[in-house]
Amino acid sequence: MGLFRATRYVASLPLVSVDELVDAGIELVLLDRDNTCVPRDAREAPAEVTEWLARVRAAGMTACLVSNNFHTSQVSRTARELGVEFVDHAMKPLPWALRRAMRRAGASADRTVMFGDQVFTDVAAGNLAGVRTVLVRPQSRSDLWYTHVFRVFERLALRGVSFEGE
């Protein structure tokens, strides 16, 4: 499939059916924080993301933020608000933080999915960890300066890809 190819492309996180995840045998939902769960220009996750995660938990799945964000206070606050575990300082695209989250949850790679908004961090990390990957559109145009640079190359990598819900 390729390091930079996601298993699935969806316009936003809440468009993914929780029932589909259950039917696919998913036990662990890994999520990027910035621009996947929380818009980069906001402090809190939108209500639809919070509600989606409540359905994930109600279905018996574990959810964990896996974030490259070095501000532990931001990541832990968001994790608390969303009712999920977290791993910060993840260093994605390296797969170690994803594997750590899987060990903590007792989940195997074939029962785990990684959601994120960046090809070269989230999708690559998920693929290196051997989990299914879902690329979502960023929630905000606001990004760190270096992420804007990566987005240029990301557009090239995503040529011809259609996102469900668009």
Side-chain angles (χ1 to χ4, degrees):
M1 176 138 100
L3 182 61
F4 303 120
R5 301 296 296 175
T7 309
R8 188 172 173 189
Y9 300 87
V10 182
S12 68
L13 188 61
L15 291 176
V16 175
S17 162
V18 172
D19 291 336
E20 280 182 53
L21 296 176
V22 170
D23 292 345
I26 297 298
E27 296 174 353
L28 176 60
V29 175
L30 302 176
L31 305 130
D32 176 56
R33 179 192 181 271
D34 298 313
N35 266 342
T36 300
C37 290
V38 179
R40 188 84 178 116
D41 54 2
R43 290 180 44 92
E44 296 177 357
E48 56 271 10
V49 170
T50 303
E51 291 160 8
W52 184 84
L53 278 164
R55 290 193 307 276
V56 164
R57 289 191 316 277
M61 289 177 272
T62 301
C64 180
L65 293 179
V66 180
S67 178
N68 281 356
N69 191 320
F70 276 78
H71 301 284
T72 301
S73 61
Q74 288 178 4
V75 179
S76 66
R77 180 176 33 82
T78 298
R80 241 185 348 271
E81 289 168 359
L82 297 175
V84 302
E85 299 294 320
F86 75 93
V87 177
D88 60 347
H89 298 83
M91 297 173 49
K92 295 175 290 184
L94 297 173
W96 303 324
L98 280 71
R99 290 183 183 141
R100 189 162 115 209
M102 286 187 284
R103 272 193 312 278
R104 270 200 220 158
S108 60
D110 64 324
R111 296 197 171 271
T112 302
V113 63
M114 173 71 200
F115 288 89
D117 69 297
Q118 292 187 58
V119 169
F120 300 118
T121 56
D122 306 313
V123 171
N127 287 334
L128 288 169
V131 305
R132 290 171 238 200
T133 54
V134 179
L135 183 70
V136 298
R137 293 286 193 192
Q139 292 180 335
S140 165
R141 294 180 78 73
S142 178
D143 260 322
L144 298 169
W145 70 267
Y146 53 84
T147 304
H148 284 290
V149 173
F150 284 121
R151 297 276 188 214
V152 172
F153 296 102
E154 200 169 78
R155 281 192 290 280
L156 294 172
L158 293 174
R159 246 190 275 160
V161 170
S162 344
F163 283 71
E164 297 170 38
E166 290 186 334

